Structures are given as structure tokens and as C-alpha cells.
Amino acid sequence: MNSEAIAEKIDAYEGVSPRLRRPGGGRKSLQDKDPTLIADLEELLEADTRGDPESALRWCSKSLHKLKVALQEKGHSISHQSVSTLLVKRGYSLQANKKTKEGSCHPDRNAQFGYVNERTKAMQSLRQPVISVDCKKKELVGEFKNAGREWHKKGQPDEVLVYDFVDRGEGKAIPYGIYDVTKNRGFVNVGMDHDTAAFAVASIGLWWERLGKAMYPEARQLQIMADGGGSNSSRSRLWKLCLQELADSTGLTLHVCHFPPGTSKWNKIEHRLFSFISLNWRGRPLVSFEVMVSLIGSMRTQAGLVVDAVLDRGVYPTKIAVSDEELASVRLLGHDFHREWNYTIEPRER
């Protein structure tokens, strides 16, 4: 075929649409076949839709199966897969709950964070130790399932007890942590008795004797950042009395700053120490207190975190009352800003 013939054929095809089907051909969409389908679906979703209605991303708490059944009861012929397709086209997706609500928010919450930060920088500039303290979640010790997975030969997982009954194990471990903010160094005192204020302060004392004193030989002050509740509660009389005893025995002036209510997750120890410990023992049954201490003590990170751990066999009884006279003996000086959260305890003269 010469070039002139080819040109004639090309001219003949000009203006011809490449479309194979005629306009309007092919399978009709569900909306076209069932005009009331979308309205009924939206009605079902309205009561269960969460999130910002102006957002491009919404989600629904009803399952595809339940939505399918509800639509079929309204006379629609539809499968759960078609329900899924319609939801995706309308901006819905499956999402889990997200922890964002912290309860009541104190008006001076941000100001307290700023105050703690300023105190921390001031202490670090003076080369004085700054620690963040808290008690990690209590752990069952024994042949119990531990969340997470680790590598094993296929079909050979660690076998553990079916039920988490405390009396079938060795008891509950109470890991109280101390995180050195400046040195990026962790210390965990694993208790076996009760999580009390006396246990919390004893843990800080152990940290000082084993690590702090050697790392800060010139230290005369110690800043402690703690949550506002639990064994280191800002309202605990025993906490303050035990801190006074710690100040007396070490000669350190203790500066304490508590985080505002409902903000415990912002404590540095939570995401700089405890999170790595949980990752280190995931999928490993904590069969004994010694195994637990070993797993904590072997913690190392690429960022340089090193953790020491000890087992505390001490007895810490609960419900110890502190009299007004004992509390008055504490050399406690409240700071100008929120003295109930921020205070200094000085050593008493010997």
C-alpha cells in the first residue's frame, strides 16, 4: 500500500470516536438501578457516624454485615462488598479508637509545663541531676502470656498458662523507674510488695546510691519530676515525709515538680524508658522476678539509653498515717507558682 492510500484511510477515520460502546452502554451503577439506596445508607450511618462532619475522612462503627442486613430489610438487593465500595467512595474508613481526651484540663497546664522546663534547664546549667520518676504498669510474674511476638522455629512458640490467675504465678512485679534526663540513663527498682510512697522514695534513694552519686559527685541539689498521683502523689503526706528523710540522709536539696492532672503520658520516663522496656520483653513470658530484672537490665538503644535494674525484696506496708506533727517537721518550701505542685525540701540540720 502506497503512501497516498494510507493517507486516504487515515482521513477516513478522522472524527471517528475510539469508544467501543455506545453512550450509556454497559452495566448500570447501583445508584442508577436503586435510586433510594444512598439515602437509606446515609440514614443508617447518621446515628453511628463519629468525627468532624466537615472532615474529608469519616468513619462508621457499624460492620459491613450489619449494614448489608439493614439495607436488605429495607428492600435493597446488595452485598457487603458493594456496601464497602459505597462507603469508601463517600469518605468512610475503618479506624480504631484514639486516646486524645485527657479529662479535665487545668487552666495553668501549659504554664506548668513551661515552669518545669525552665527549672530543668536551670538545674542542667548548674550540672545538677534532673530525674523523671514513675511506676510502670504492674506485671504478672510466672508462665503467663506476654503481649507481642518474637521469632521461634515454626510451630514452637513458648507455651504459657491459659488463665492469668495470680495464685498460679510468683506474684506481681512493681517496676518503679528513674530516668536521668541529662545522661539518658535509666534505673528500675522492681518491687515485690506494694507500690507506696515509701517504696517510691526508696527507689530514688537506690538510684542515688548506685548511680547518681558517682555520676554527679559535685551535686548538692536534685530535681524530681513526677506525676500528680499514685505513690508519688503531690497530696501524699508520706511522700513528703520520706523525701525529707532522703534529703537528710543524702544532704541533697530536693526540688519537686509535679505534672498537672491528666497529663501523665507527658512524663519523659513514659516514652524514653518504659516504652523501650515493653518492646524489649514483648512476647517473652516473665517467668520469674530474676528474668524480669535481667530483661530490663539488658535494655540498650541506638540512641545510647542504658538501663540498670535491681530486685527489691523489701516490705512496704500500706495505710501508714502521717500526723500533723510529722508533716510539720518537713522543711518544705512551696514555690511561688502553684506551691501544691512545685516545692523544695531541704535537709534538716544534724
Side-chain angles (χ1 to χ4, degrees):
M1 184 179 293
N2 56 34
S3 59
E4 293 181 359
I6 293 174
E8 289 178 0
K9 285 186 175 291
I10 292 175
D11 292 339
Y13 280 107
E14 284 185 357
V16 177
S17 172
R19 183 182 179 90
L20 297 179
R21 289 197 182 112
R22 62 180 174 80
R27 182 181 297 175
K28 292 185 179 296
S29 66
L30 287 173
Q31 298 94 308
D32 293 335
K33 292 191 296 184
D34 191 348
T36 62
L37 174 62
I38 301 303
D40 286 344
L41 177 59
E42 291 286 354
E43 183 181 350
L44 289 171
L45 295 172
E46 184 176 357
D48 292 278
T49 299
R50 305 289 187 267
D52 182 1
E54 299 299 325
S55 172
L57 184 65
R58 299 185 297 172
W59 59 280
C60 167
S61 60
K62 284 190 174 180
S63 68
L64 295 177
H65 174 73
K66 290 181 178 179
L67 288 170
K68 178 197 74 173
V69 172
L71 287 171
Q72 288 176 346
E73 290 175 351
K74 288 178 175 287
H76 302 285
S77 178
I78 191 170
S79 67
H80 73 279
Q81 186 59 50
S82 295
V83 174
S84 175
T85 302
L86 291 175
L87 289 175
V88 171
K89 286 183 177 179
R90 275 153 184 77
Y92 288 84
S93 68
L94 286 173
Q95 298 184 28
N97 299 149
K98 183 179 180 180
K99 291 183 178 181
T100 55
K101 297 181 179 180
E102 298 179 355
S104 58
C105 181
H106 196 282
D108 288 335
R109 165 182 150 161
N110 291 339
Q112 175 65 3
F113 283 136
Y115 183 79
V116 173
N117 188 51
E118 289 176 3
R119 298 280 307 186
T120 298
K121 288 182 177 179
M123 291 289 287
Q124 289 175 325
S125 67
L126 297 173
R127 298 184 180 181
Q128 301 297 297
V130 179
I131 59 174
S132 174
V133 304
D134 196 14
C135 187
K136 193 180 184 299
K137 179 178 72 72
K138 299 177 180 64
E139 302 285 350
L140 283 174
V141 178
E143 294 182 324
F144 302 110
K145 180 179 179 180
N146 200 1
R149 297 182 294 177
E150 65 172 4
W151 290 99
H152 287 281
K153 282 198 172 184
K154 189 173 182 179
Q156 298 181 19
D158 287 333
E159 295 184 353
V160 295
L161 296 171
V162 175
Y163 301 107
D164 294 343
F165 295 136
V166 178
D167 58 356
R168 299 194 66 181
E170 294 192 20
K172 282 189 176 183
I174 309 168
Y176 194 90
I178 293 93
Y179 175 70
D180 186 331
V181 176
T182 306
K183 304 286 188 181
N184 191 30
R185 186 78 178 264
F187 178 82
V188 179
N189 184 35
V190 180
M192 304 174 65
D193 192 43
H194 296 100
D195 178 24
T196 67
F199 170 66
V201 177
S203 300
I204 298 172
L206 275 174
W207 166 81
W208 175 251
E209 290 299 322
R210 289 175 175 263
L211 296 176
K213 187 161 54 174
M215 290 191 296
Y216 299 93
E218 304 299 323
R220 296 294 178 267
Q221 304 175 73
L222 170 63
Q223 177 167 319
I224 302 171
M225 295 183 292
D227 291 345
S231 55
N232 39 237
S233 170
S234 59
R235 293 178 294 180
S236 171
R237 290 186 167 201
L238 183 60
W239 162 257
K240 295 181 176 69
L241 181 62
C242 290
L243 284 177
Q244 179 66 73
E245 294 171 356
L246 177 64
D248 293 344
S249 63
T250 61
L252 294 171
T253 297
L254 307 179
H255 307 286
V256 184
C257 293
H258 293 275
F259 291 102
T263 61
S264 60
K265 70 177 183 179
W266 300 107
N267 196 337
K268 290 183 183 296
I269 197 172
E270 294 288 344
H271 48 89
R272 293 195 179 178
L273 177 60
F274 289 163
S275 60
F276 291 111
I277 292 174
S278 297
L279 287 173
N280 197 48
W281 67 31
R282 68 174 185 265
R284 300 282 300 276
L286 306 175
V287 296
S288 68
F289 283 95
E290 288 73 20
V291 166
M292 185 176 188
V293 170
S294 178
L295 286 170
I296 296 174
S298 64
M299 183 68 246
R300 302 289 186 273
T301 70
Q302 293 181 347
L305 173 66
V306 177
V307 183
D308 293 87
V310 297
L311 181 61
D312 190 340
R313 299 182 182 275
V315 177
Y316 299 94
T318 60
K319 299 179 180 179
I320 294 181
V322 175
S323 66
D324 293 340
E325 291 76 14
E326 289 176 311
L327 184 62
S329 69
V330 177
R331 295 191 62 184
L332 187 147
L333 175 64
H335 298 184
D336 293 337
F337 182 74
H338 277 285
R339 58 191 304 115
E340 74 278 15
W341 293 342
N342 309 292
Y343 48 87
T344 295
I345 296 178
E346 298 180 340
R348 290 178 289 205
E349 296 180 2
R350 298 180 182 178

Short mmCIF file of all heavy atoms in Angstrom, two decimals, residues 228-229 232-240 258 340 343:
data_model
loop_
_atom_site.label_atom_id
_atom_site.label_comp_id
_atom_site.label_asym_id
_atom_site.label_seq_id
_atom_site.Cartn_x
_atom_site.Cartn_y
_atom_site.Cartn_z
N GLY A 228 1.19 13.65 89.25
CA GLY A 228 0.49 14.24 90.38
C GLY A 228 -0.23 13.23 91.25
O GLY A 228 -0.75 13.58 92.31
N GLY A 229 -0.28 11.96 90.81
CA GLY A 229 -0.98 10.93 91.58
C GLY A 229 -0.12 9.70 91.79
O GLY A 229 1.08 9.70 91.54
N ASN A 232 3.71 8.66 94.11
CA ASN A 232 4.40 9.95 94.23
C ASN A 232 3.43 11.12 94.09
O ASN A 232 3.74 12.14 93.49
CB ASN A 232 5.52 10.06 93.18
CG ASN A 232 5.16 9.49 91.83
OD1 ASN A 232 5.85 8.61 91.33
ND2 ASN A 232 4.08 9.98 91.22
N SER A 233 2.26 10.96 94.67
CA SER A 233 1.21 11.97 94.57
C SER A 233 1.63 13.29 95.23
O SER A 233 2.30 13.30 96.27
CB SER A 233 -0.07 11.45 95.24
OG SER A 233 -1.02 12.48 95.37
N SER A 234 1.21 14.37 94.62
CA SER A 234 1.53 15.69 95.17
C SER A 234 0.79 15.93 96.48
O SER A 234 1.16 16.83 97.24
CB SER A 234 1.15 16.78 94.17
OG SER A 234 -0.24 16.71 93.86
N ARG A 235 -0.23 15.14 96.77
CA ARG A 235 -1.00 15.31 98.01
C ARG A 235 -0.63 14.31 99.10
O ARG A 235 -1.21 14.33 100.18
CB ARG A 235 -2.50 15.20 97.70
CG ARG A 235 -3.03 16.32 96.84
CD ARG A 235 -4.50 16.15 96.52
NE ARG A 235 -4.73 14.98 95.68
CZ ARG A 235 -5.93 14.59 95.25
NH1 ARG A 235 -7.00 15.26 95.63
NH2 ARG A 235 -6.05 13.53 94.48
N SER A 236 0.32 13.44 98.80
CA SER A 236 0.68 12.39 99.76
C SER A 236 1.59 12.94 100.87
O SER A 236 2.68 13.45 100.60
CB SER A 236 1.39 11.25 99.03
OG SER A 236 1.93 10.33 99.96
N ARG A 237 1.14 12.79 102.08
CA ARG A 237 1.95 13.20 103.22
C ARG A 237 3.17 12.30 103.38
O ARG A 237 4.27 12.77 103.68
CB ARG A 237 1.11 13.16 104.50
CG ARG A 237 0.04 14.25 104.59
CD ARG A 237 -0.63 14.20 105.95
NE ARG A 237 -1.43 15.38 106.20
CZ ARG A 237 -1.79 15.79 107.41
NH1 ARG A 237 -1.42 15.09 108.49
NH2 ARG A 237 -2.53 16.88 107.56
N LEU A 238 2.96 11.00 103.15
CA LEU A 238 4.06 10.05 103.32
C LEU A 238 5.16 10.30 102.30
O LEU A 238 6.35 10.18 102.60
CB LEU A 238 3.53 8.62 103.18
CG LEU A 238 4.56 7.50 103.41
CD1 LEU A 238 5.15 7.58 104.81
CD2 LEU A 238 3.93 6.12 103.17
N TRP A 239 4.78 10.67 101.10
CA TRP A 239 5.76 11.01 100.05
C TRP A 239 6.66 12.13 100.52
O TRP A 239 7.90 12.06 100.40
CB TRP A 239 5.00 11.38 98.78
CG TRP A 239 5.73 12.14 97.72
CD1 TRP A 239 5.61 13.48 97.45
CD2 TRP A 239 6.67 11.64 96.77
NE1 TRP A 239 6.41 13.85 96.39
CE2 TRP A 239 7.08 12.74 95.94
CE3 TRP A 239 7.23 10.39 96.52
CZ2 TRP A 239 8.00 12.60 94.91
CZ3 TRP A 239 8.15 10.26 95.48
CH2 TRP A 239 8.52 11.35 94.69
N LYS A 240 6.08 13.17 101.08
CA LYS A 240 6.87 14.32 101.52
C LYS A 240 7.73 13.96 102.73
O LYS A 240 8.89 14.40 102.83
CB LYS A 240 5.94 15.49 101.85
CG LYS A 240 5.19 16.05 100.63
CD LYS A 240 4.31 17.22 101.02
CE LYS A 240 3.63 17.85 99.80
NZ LYS A 240 2.61 16.97 99.21
N HIS A 258 5.52 18.49 90.03
CA HIS A 258 4.52 17.51 89.61
C HIS A 258 3.84 17.98 88.33
O HIS A 258 3.61 19.18 88.14
CB HIS A 258 3.45 17.32 90.69
CG HIS A 258 3.96 16.68 91.94
ND1 HIS A 258 4.06 15.32 92.09
CD2 HIS A 258 4.40 17.23 93.11
CE1 HIS A 258 4.52 15.04 93.29
NE2 HIS A 258 4.75 16.18 93.93
N GLU A 340 1.39 23.83 95.43
CA GLU A 340 0.93 22.44 95.64
C GLU A 340 1.59 21.47 94.65
O GLU A 340 1.62 20.26 94.89
CB GLU A 340 -0.59 22.36 95.53
CG GLU A 340 -1.17 22.46 94.12
CD GLU A 340 -1.31 23.88 93.61
OE1 GLU A 340 -0.71 24.79 94.20
OE2 GLU A 340 -2.02 24.08 92.61
N TYR A 343 7.65 22.45 94.90
CA TYR A 343 8.14 22.73 96.25
C TYR A 343 9.56 22.20 96.41
O TYR A 343 10.05 21.38 95.63
CB TYR A 343 7.22 22.12 97.31
CG TYR A 343 6.86 20.68 97.07
CD1 TYR A 343 7.67 19.64 97.52
CD2 TYR A 343 5.70 20.34 96.37
CE1 TYR A 343 7.33 18.31 97.30
CE2 TYR A 343 5.36 19.02 96.14
CZ TYR A 343 6.18 18.00 96.60
OH TYR A 343 5.87 16.69 96.36
#
